[in-house]
Amino acid sequence: MTIKVGVIGTGAIGREHIDRIENILSGGEVKAVTDVNQASAYKAVEDYHLDATVYPDDVALVGDPNIDAVFVTSWGPAHEQSVLLAIEAGKYVFCEKPLATTAEGCMRIVEAEQKHGKRLVQVGFMRRYDEGYVQLKEALDNNEIGDPLMIHCSHRNPGVDENYKTDMAVTETLIHEIDALHWLIHDNYESVRVDFPKKTKYSHAELQDPQVFTLKTQGGVLIKAEVFVNCKYGYDIQCEVMGEEGIAKLPEVASVVVRKESKLSSNILNDWKVRFMDAYNKELQNFLDSLVKYEEPQGPTSWDGYIAAVTADACLKAQETGEEVEIKLQDTPDFYKNETLVRN
Ligand code: NAD
């Protein structure tokens, strides 16, 4: 069975997902597209040789009876409306992060999905499909290092442009750690504090860089998460979990090790798209396959989108106030309690 996909938002990641569905993955076909910039939608049809209808907006696209699944890849503030429309029409949804820009918006989606009665929505947190994270999670789930006590992690980019401001360290960067870490250790966040070390000379007036987030979980795990987006040397994701019996670390990206001129060296990537290319492919293949196999997506849920939104809000407040901020999550509904699968 081929899943017929409609794409809302044909910008950078929308185009990448179209390319994946059409040229890399199996079991999906893009049959409809829309974008507020209609020229962009027509260009996507032309560039990827799609046999697809261009719709004027998300309402019309979601109303196409031939579409099985909707990909929401528009700007963050537009996500909630498109996801709610899709749920109302009983369509599956793959929504890029954020699920909605507010916790209340995420809750409206959670409620609509529960009212519908089965899972329809998957949120685009692709780290869960990265082979390194999958291995780290298996080590923790197999109790190889005992109970986790502390996590040290870093999210470093070589550089960002002038549009990247202090709050984006949370909404664009740390958001991926926020999702991956609670999933890794089966725990919920309780509070967050932010420290600003000495600012790098490579930053600009409206960006504190680096930043260090200290998150505490309900189970007592302490997380030190560094975001450093002008680190210069490369795109580098680190994650080390300290447990009662040992330490488990995210593997380094495979790279040839060279011994030459009294030096031992290997390469570090520069581009996040390259770093997580396999993860994006597995994430979307898993989404398409799950719809056929289980008639439900198996990846990150609307509830994970809600957790990310509440935690991100607290991180933003901690940035502003310099105080430790409580992360107040509602109890997880039974509907979302089953652990989601990540293996293809
Ligand atoms: P982009 O600006 O390149 O593309 C967004 C597109 O959406 C634009 O073409 C815009 O015209 C269109 N659009 C905006 N509002 C719309 C609406 N109401 N209906 C239809 N189209 C609309 O942005 P992008 O980099 O592709 O990011 C899109 C989303 O994907 C963002 O939410 C971003 O956070 C997320 N994203 C996630 C990852 C990840 O690692 N998972 C990576 C990149 C982007």
Side-chain angles (χ1 to χ4, degrees), residues 11-13 35-36 73-76 78-79 96-98 124 126 176 280:
I13 202 142
D35 195 295
V36 280
T73 49
S74 53
W75 294 321
H79 290 184
E96 266 307 337
K97 58 92 184 157
M126 78 295 178
H176 290 291
Y280 284 116

Side-chain angles (χ1 to χ4, degrees), residues 150-151 153 174 177-178 181 189-194 212-217 220-225 311-312 314-315 324-325 327:
M150 192 175 170
I151 300 178
C153 60
L174 186 75
E177 271 74 18
I178 289 175
L181 299 180
Y189 302 116
E190 191 175 78
S191 69
V192 61
R193 199 191 78 225
V194 187
V212 179
F213 297 82
T214 304
L215 289 140
K216 288 183 195 154
T217 71
V221 177
L222 189 94
I223 299 166
K224 284 273 178 202
T311 307
C315 291
E324 182 164 350
V325 174
I327 299 171

Side-chain angles (χ1 to χ4, degrees), residues 10-172:
T10 50
I13 202 142
R15 287 175 63 92
E16 280 171 30
H17 288 345
I18 289 171
D19 185 32
R20 283 191 176 91
I21 294 166
E22 291 292 310
N23 300 316
I24 300 166
L25 311 178
S26 59
E29 194 183 351
V30 178
K31 297 299 283 178
V33 292
T34 187
D35 195 295
V36 280
N37 174 0
Q38 286 274 285
S40 157
Y42 281 104
K43 185 153 184 359
V45 170
E46 190 186 324
D47 290 352
Y48 298 104
H49 311 291
L50 304 178
D51 174 19
T53 309
V54 176
Y55 283 105
D57 55 29
D58 55 354
V59 178
L61 180 141
V62 168
D64 181 338
N66 293 317
I67 297 301
D68 306 306
V70 175
F71 275 51
V72 180
T73 49
S74 53
W75 294 321
H79 290 184
E80 182 187 344
Q81 168 179 308
S82 300
V83 175
L84 285 172
L85 281 168
I87 293 174
E88 205 177 310
K91 312 257 182 196
Y92 297 111
V93 188
F94 178 87
C95 180
E96 266 307 337
K97 58 92 184 157
L99 178 61
T101 47
T102 62
E104 296 74 31
C106 291
M107 202 41 102
R108 282 189 281 275
I109 291 171
V110 159
E111 280 162 6
E113 193 179 33
Q114 289 184 83
K115 197 167 155 219
H116 175 78
K118 75 167 194 171
R119 275 201 62 193
L120 293 174
V121 181
Q122 174 163 332
V123 184
F125 287 125
M126 78 295 178
R127 289 251 182 123
R128 298 187 187 200
Y129 297 87
D130 174 71
E131 187 54 33
Y133 273 99
V134 170
Q135 287 181 22
L136 184 55
K137 170 117 171 110
E138 279 174 353
L140 298 174
D141 285 353
N142 293 337
N143 205 27
E144 284 182 34
I145 59 161
D147 275 0
L149 307 173
M150 192 175 170
I151 300 178
H152 300 268
C153 60
S154 327
H155 190 150
R156 302 188 185 126
N157 292 58
V160 288
D161 63 32
E162 294 275 314
N163 297 320
Y164 188 107
K165 314 252 168 74
T166 296
D167 60 328
M168 292 166 79
V170 174
T171 55
E172 299 300 318

